[in-house]
Amino acid sequence: MITSPLYSPHAARETPVISDAAYLASLKKVTQYYIVTAFLALLIGVLIGPLQALNYGGINVYDTPILKALLKSYYQGLSLHGVLNALVFTQFFISGWMLYLPARDLGMRINMKFAWFTYLLMTAGLLLAAVPLLTNNATLLYTFYPPMEGSPLFYIGAAVMVGSSLLVVGQVVAMWVAWKRANPGRVTPLVAFMCVATWMMWAVAALGIVIEVVFLLIPWSLGWVGGVDPLISKTLFWWTGHAIVYFWVLPAYIAWYAFLPHHAGGRIVSEPLVRLTFVMFLLNSTPVGLHHQYADPNISVAWKTMHMFLTFLVAIPSLLTAFSVGAALEDAARARGGRGLFGWMLRLPWGKPTFSAPVLAMVSFILGGAGGIVNASSAFAPVVHNTAWIPGHFHITVGTATTLTFMGISLWLIPHLTGKRMPSVRLASAAVWTWFVGMMVFALGMHWQGLVGVPRRALVSATAQSVYRDMPIQIPQMLTAISGMILLVSALLYFYVLFRMLLSRRLDDGEAASPLPYSEVISPAGQHLAGASALVRFTEPLLALWGVALLLVLLMYGPVLARLAANAELVPGWRLY
Amino acid sequence: MSAPRSAGHRPAAPRLDHHTLEKYENVWFGIAVIMSVLLFVTVLASFLSGTAPSLSGEGGHHITGVKNGRLDPGNFAATPFATPGLRHNADGSYEAFVIARAFQFEPAVLKVPVGQPVTIHVTSADVLHGYFIEGTNINATAIPGQVSSFTTTFRRPGTLNLVCNEYCGTGHHNMVSSVKVDVQEP
C-alpha cells in the first residue's frame, strides 16, 4: 500500500518500498538482462551502419576482402542492421523498462519465474532468428515482404520473439488489474498508467504481424501451402508496422514526461493531459497503416484516405507532448533564474547526459515528426516513397528520438539497477552530442538525396548504369558519408562508457544513490477517483478503452482484409539473394 | 542588478501554476486539431486539383485475362502482358503493359507519346518490385499476381530514368531502365 502521511499532491512521488530484498534483486536482475541484451544487439547493429552511410556517400566498401568474409552482401548487412536495431534492441529494452517501471510504481509483486521464463523465451526466439540472418538465409530486410523467401527458422524465431513480448503485456496488465482490485477507487499512478496503456496499444498492434507470420509465412516457408498472397501479407505487416513506431517512442515519452523534468530541475506540467495523450495513442496508433501502402494496387483510395485522416489525428498527442514537455523545461529553466523569450534555454543543464540525451532526442523528433506528416500525406508520398528520404526520416525518429533517449536512460537506470557508477560524465556527454549531430547530418544528406530521387535500400554506390552518377547529389552524398563517421565515433564512445560501467564494481546501494527520478507535478491527477477531474475519470478505465481500440482496428482493417482475402492470388516463393 | 542567479529551488519570480497552464493547454490543443484537419483538407484539395497522382484503387481492370486486378504470374500468355509495351487502342487511348522481373523491366525502354494520357499497367513475374520514374511522382509497387494501374500525361519530350525502388535481391540496384517520351507517334 502506498500511503504516506506526508502526502502532498504536488510532491515528487516516492517509490513504494519493497521489503523483500531477494525479490527486488531478482526484479532488478531480469530488467538488467533485458537492457544489456538490447544494447548488445544495438552494438552489432550500429557497427554495420557506417558501411551503409558510405554506400550512400558513393563509396562501395562491400568488395573489400575483410567485409566479404563477414557479410555476403550489402543487403545482408542491411537486414542485420534493421532487424537488430529496430526490432531486437527496441523490444528487449522496452520489455525490461516497461516491466520494471510499473512493478515499482505500483509496488506490486510479480511472479519472477514467469518474468525470467519470458526473458529466456524472447532470447531463444532471437537466437533462432539470428542463425539464418547471419548465414545469409534470411536476407529479406527488416520488412521481410514475401514472396522473397527466407529460412523457416527466421520466421519461427521472429514469431517466438515478438510473441513473448505479449507475455510481458499479460504480466503487466494482470499486475495492474490486481492493483486495481486491491485499491478500489484509486487513480492509477502516472508511470504505471503510461506503461499499461502502451502495452495495451502494442497488444492490439502486434496482432497483424503475429497473424502474418504464424498463419501465412511459417506454413508457406515450411512448404505446407503452395503460395502466399504478397498484398495480404504486406497489409498485415503494416497493421503492426506503423503502430510499432509508437511502441518505440511511447516508452521514450514515459521518460520525457515522468523523469526528464527531474533531470532538468523542474516539474511535470499536467498529469491529466499526459493520461489523455496516452489514451489517444492507445486508440489511434494502429488503424493508420495503409498510409504505407499508397503505392500498392487493389486497396481502394477511400480506405487509404481514411487511414491518412487517422494518421493526421495521431499527430495531435505528439503535439500535446511537445507542449507539455516544453513547458516543463521552461518551468525548470526559469526556476534556475532563466530569463527572456528564448534565453531561458541557456539555463538548462546541457552538459548533463541524462538531461541532454532525452532533450536532443525530442528536438530530433520535432523535425522527424514534421517529415512524418509529409510521408503520411498521399499527395506527397509518391515523391518520397521508397527513396533515401525515408531512412533519413526514421533515423531522426526511432534512430534518435527513441535510441538516444534509451541511451540516456541507461546512464541512470544501470546505476539504479546495479549500484555501479557512470564512469565519465564528459565521455557520456560527448557520446550524446555526437549522436545528435551525426544523425542530423545523416538526415540532411538522406532527405536531400531522396528528394533528388535516390532510392532507399539499394547498393547505389555499385550501380552499373550512370543514373546516380548523373544526379546533382555530391553535397548530400558527402554529408551522408561524414555522418556515418561521426556516428561511429559516437557509438564507440557510448559503448565504452556502457561497458566500463557494466564491468565496474558495485559501489552504491542503487536504491539510495540513484533512485527512480520521479518529478514534482504542477497539476496532479490526484489519488482518489471520487474527487478527480472528468479527464482523469474518463482515462482510468483502460480495459474498456483497450476494447474500443481493438474495435477501431477491426473496423478500419476488417473490410480491407476481407476484400483482399476474397480475391487472394497465391504466388510461389523466390530466393534471389 | 541583483537578479537571483542561484540554481536553488525557490525562485523569486512566480512559477507556472495550474490555471495559467490549463488555459495554454486548451489553446494549444485547439491549434493542434485545426492544423491536423487543415492538412487533411489540403490533401483532399490536391486530389481535386489533380496535382496528386492517381493510382487507381482496385478492380476496374478491363484487361483480358485479369480478374479483380489479379492474374497468374506464371502465365502471362492469356493477357496483354505477353507482349509488353505500348498499345494504341481503337478508341484512340494509349495503354502500356510493363513486366518487372529480377532484375529488369520489360520492355527494356518504354516509349510513350508526349502530351497524351497513357494508362500504365505494371505487374511482377517474381517478387515485389518498385516502379519509380525519376523526376516525377509516378511511384507504384509491382506485385506478382496483381496489376498496378495509373494514368498519367508526359508533358515534355525526353528520356526519364525508371528505377526499381523495392528490394528484389542481389541485383536490385542494377534494375534501372528508361522511359522515352517521344514527339512522334511511337
Side-chain angles (χ1 to χ4, degrees), chain B residues 5-82:
Chain B
R5 297 186 57 202
S6 89
H9 295 290
R10 295 282 170 267
R15 296 183 71 179
L16 279 170
D17 66 39
H18 174 72
H19 291 289
T20 341
L21 263 176
E22 202 170 29
K23 208 165 61 193
Y24 292 158
E25 277 167 14
N26 288 334
V27 171
W28 178 248
F29 188 61
I31 293 173
V33 173
I34 292 168
M35 285 201 313
S36 297
V37 173
L38 266 183
L39 269 168
F40 184 65
V41 171
T42 320
V43 178
L44 291 187
S46 76
F47 285 173
L48 298 177
S49 68
T51 46
S54 51
L55 183 72
S56 46
E58 65 172 346
H61 301 294
H62 317 294
I63 308 167
T64 327
V66 175
K67 208 175 148 208
N68 297 318
R70 270 74 169 181
L71 79 176
D72 177 0
N75 181 17
F76 293 136
T79 72
F81 289 99

Side-chain angles (χ1 to χ4, degrees), chain A residues 144-413:
Chain A
F144 55 86
Y145 293 144
M148 190 73 86
E149 191 170 355
S151 152
L153 261 190
F154 172 74
Y155 303 111
I156 294 168
V160 171
M161 196 187 92
V162 175
S164 46
S165 73
L166 297 177
L167 299 183
V168 189
V169 176
Q171 189 161 31
V172 171
V173 172
M175 174 202 330
W176 175 71
V177 169
W179 182 88
K180 289 295 286 177
R181 287 221 180 96
N183 296 276
R186 291 283 288 272
V187 176
T188 306
L190 186 65
V191 168
F193 183 91
M194 293 191 280
C195 293
V196 173
T198 305
W199 275 129
M200 286 177 168
M201 184 281 288
W202 174 241
V204 174
L207 287 179
I209 214 168
V210 168
I211 296 169
E212 182 202 4
V213 174
V214 174
F215 294 105
L216 305 182
L217 300 187
I218 291 177
W220 163 69
S221 68
L222 289 170
W224 296 346
V225 290
V228 63
D229 183 297
L231 190 55
I232 295 177
S233 302
K234 196 177 173 187
T235 306
L236 286 168
F237 180 86
W238 287 113
W239 164 326
T240 303
H242 190 73
I244 204 173
V245 309
Y246 300 110
F247 179 59
W248 297 333
V249 296
L250 292 182
Y253 277 28
I254 294 174
W256 300 352
Y257 273 123
F259 305 127
L260 175 59
H262 173 97
H263 293 300
R267 301 171 293 173
I268 297 172
V269 162
S270 164
E271 287 190 346
L273 196 66
V274 181
R275 293 161 60 99
L276 175 66
T277 302
F278 274 75
V279 167
M280 287 170 88
F281 277 118
L282 169 58
L283 297 178
N284 200 185
S285 288
T286 313
V288 297
L290 289 187
H291 78 244
H292 287 256
Q293 297 184 265
Y294 294 139
D296 291 352
N298 295 327
I299 297 173
S300 84
V301 174
W303 281 108
K304 289 177 182 173
T305 307
M306 269 190 268
H307 280 232
M308 174 174 65
F309 180 60
L310 291 171
T311 312
F312 288 159
L313 286 190
V314 83
I316 294 172
S318 281
L319 288 164
L320 293 180
T321 304
F323 171 87
S324 294
V325 185
L329 293 180
E330 184 175 344
D331 178 61
R334 293 205 189 280
R336 294 158 150 261
R339 303 271 149 180
L341 194 57
F342 297 107
W344 55 266
M345 290 181 187
L346 298 172
R347 282 302 174 109
L348 292 167
W350 294 105
K352 197 171 122 181
T354 47
F355 169 83
S356 62
V359 173
L360 295 175
M362 282 167 48
V363 172
S364 165
F365 197 54
I366 292 173
L367 301 167
I373 288 171
V374 172
N375 305 341
S377 143
S378 59
F380 284 124
V383 179
V384 297
H385 172 69
N386 275 357
T387 68
W389 168 287
I390 303 299
H393 162 73
F394 63 67
H395 279 79
I396 51 173
T397 49
V398 61
T400 308
T402 299
T403 308
L404 190 55
T405 301
F406 289 0
M407 288 172 165
I409 290 169
S410 71
L411 298 175
W412 62 259
L413 184 64

Side-chain angles (χ1 to χ4, degrees), chain A residues 1-3 13-19 24 101-108 179 189 511 516 518:
Chain A
M1 287 306 91
I2 319 119
T3 37
R13 186 175 165 74
E14 295 282 330
T15 317
V17 176
I18 292 178
S19 47
L24 183 60
L101 285 182
R104 294 306 307 272
D105 201 36
L106 296 174
M108 296 293 285
W179 182 88
E511 287 293 293
L516 285 177
Y518 282 114

